Amino acid sequence: MTNAYETAAETEADTNGLMAGRQITLDEAAAWLSATELRLRQLARALETPAVPVELEATIDSLRSQSGTLRDLAERMQFLARATDGDIPLAKVFRGSGDPWGVAARDSDRKAYGGPAIVPTQWQLIKLAQDAEQAEGRGMETTTYPEAMKGIGIGWESKAASARRRRERDAEVAKEVLRKTCQSCAAGDGEQCRTKSGWPAEQPHVGRQREAEADVDARLGYLGDNPVAVPDA
């Protein structure tokens, strides 16, 4: 039987209506954020005169506050869309450290900074755009996102997607554990592992856990903690 959580997860995964192609563009994301922001403001306005006499000032203020946050996100996403399309010049290196990014960072050693910034974050892109303005003023060479990232992106998965897939994997393992018969305590289908004294334990025995992980990883396409295949990459 499908529970409410699984139904919600399936609904969340249905993203086809958000994009024209296989993957959402930043321009499409900016448009959706802007549209959602407008809807929240419209809802706040409608709630000023509800069908029943209830004072909803707190909810209205909250909706307007959230719409302001979405407006900022939409503007930022539109800026990032222009930057990644190549409309906005970007500095070739990070100011101060001189560290490269994109293709140029592939062979760089930046262990102290958590590794080379091959795939920049949104904040790094914004900073690179700001640095480019000053770089051009000093006659320094700049680049564009398409130039700096040429050939990068195939098989790439965001940190958010990796974390979500890890949570989904762990949830599947937790269910699979209870389907296995434990070789240490003989706990069967639907039963928790037990101590030698018969006390139930929340954590399964290592062998039972390992067997469940192996089955789930094979089914979902994992090798240890790492995804073997990145869907839709």
Side-chain angles (χ1 to χ4, degrees), residues 111-126:
K111 292 182 179 179
Y113 299 90
I118 295 176
V119 177
T121 67
Q122 58 182 343
W123 306 116
Q124 287 174 327
L125 274 180
I126 293 171

Side-chain angles (χ1 to χ4, degrees), residues 25-31 33-34 70-91 101 120-134 136 143-146:
T25 66
L26 299 189
D27 193 33
E28 287 173 324
L33 286 168
S34 180
L70 286 176
R71 188 183 308 115
D72 292 341
L73 290 175
E75 291 174 356
R76 186 184 308 147
M77 196 63 63
Q78 189 177 63
F79 177 86
L80 293 171
R82 291 189 59 203
T84 54
D85 279 349
D87 295 344
I88 298 174
L90 303 172
W101 61 281
T121 67
Q122 58 182 343
W123 306 116
Q124 287 174 327
L125 274 180
I126 293 171
K127 184 67 167 58
L128 288 167
Q130 294 171 343
D131 290 347
E133 293 182 7
Q134 299 183 17
E136 288 181 323
T143 186
T144 64
Y145 183 89

Side-chain angles (χ1 to χ4, degrees), residues 17-230:
L18 298 178
M19 49 213 178
R22 291 179 63 248
Q23 294 172 300
I24 193 168
T25 66
L26 299 189
D27 193 33
E28 287 173 324
W32 274 107
L33 286 168
S34 180
T36 305
E37 181 267 330
L38 176 58
R39 277 297 188 188
L40 286 183
R41 286 192 289 115
Q42 290 173 332
L43 179 57
R45 181 64 175 266
L47 287 175
E48 291 180 358
T49 54
V52 293
V54 179
E55 180 52 68
L56 301 171
E57 182 180 14
T59 296
I60 292 169
D61 289 345
S62 178
L63 287 171
R64 286 177 174 153
S65 174
Q66 292 177 55
S67 71
T69 299
L70 286 176
R71 188 183 308 115
D72 292 341
L73 290 175
E75 291 174 356
R76 186 184 308 147
M77 196 63 63
Q78 189 177 63
F79 177 86
L80 293 171
R82 291 189 59 203
T84 54
D85 279 349
D87 295 344
I88 298 174
L90 303 172
K92 280 195 167 184
V93 297
F94 293 105
R95 188 176 59 177
S97 66
D99 292 315
W101 61 281
V103 173
R106 273 180 167 157
D107 298 322
S108 62
D109 183 8
R110 297 178 65 247
K111 292 182 179 179
Y113 299 90
I118 295 176
V119 177
T121 67
Q122 58 182 343
W123 306 116
Q124 287 174 327
L125 274 180
I126 293 171
K127 184 67 167 58
L128 288 167
Q130 294 171 343
D131 290 347
E133 293 182 7
Q134 299 183 17
E136 288 181 323
R138 297 193 299 269
M140 297 176 64
E141 192 177 0
T142 61
T143 186
T144 64
Y145 183 89
E147 291 173 353
M149 295 290 288
K150 188 175 183 179
I152 294 177
I154 300 174
W156 175 78
E157 182 175 52
S158 70
K159 292 180 180 179
S162 294
R164 173 183 53 75
R165 280 165 31 86
R166 177 67 191 188
R167 291 193 300 271
E168 292 171 352
R169 180 259 191 188
D170 290 345
E172 286 298 312
V173 169
K175 290 189 289 187
E176 187 67 23
V177 161
L178 295 178
R179 300 188 185 109
K180 303 292 182 185
T181 298
C182 182
Q183 301 303 314
S184 297
C185 66
D189 188 5
E191 295 178 335
Q192 290 179 298
C193 284
R194 297 182 294 271
T195 66
K196 288 185 177 181
S197 301
W199 287 29
E202 289 189 3
Q203 295 296 327
H205 284 101
V206 172
R208 194 184 193 190
Q209 176 77 17
R210 187 184 295 118
E211 186 180 353
E213 288 177 349
D215 286 355
V216 170
D217 288 347
R219 186 167 70 246
L220 297 183
Y222 269 70
L223 181 62
D225 291 342
N226 300 313
V228 174
V230 179

Side-chain angles (χ1 to χ4, degrees), residues 5-16 18 164 167-168:
Y5 176 81
E6 291 173 336
T7 300
E10 291 174 359
T11 302
E12 178 184 322
D14 184 11
T15 61
N16 291 329
L18 298 178
R164 173 183 53 75
R167 291 193 300 271
E168 292 171 352

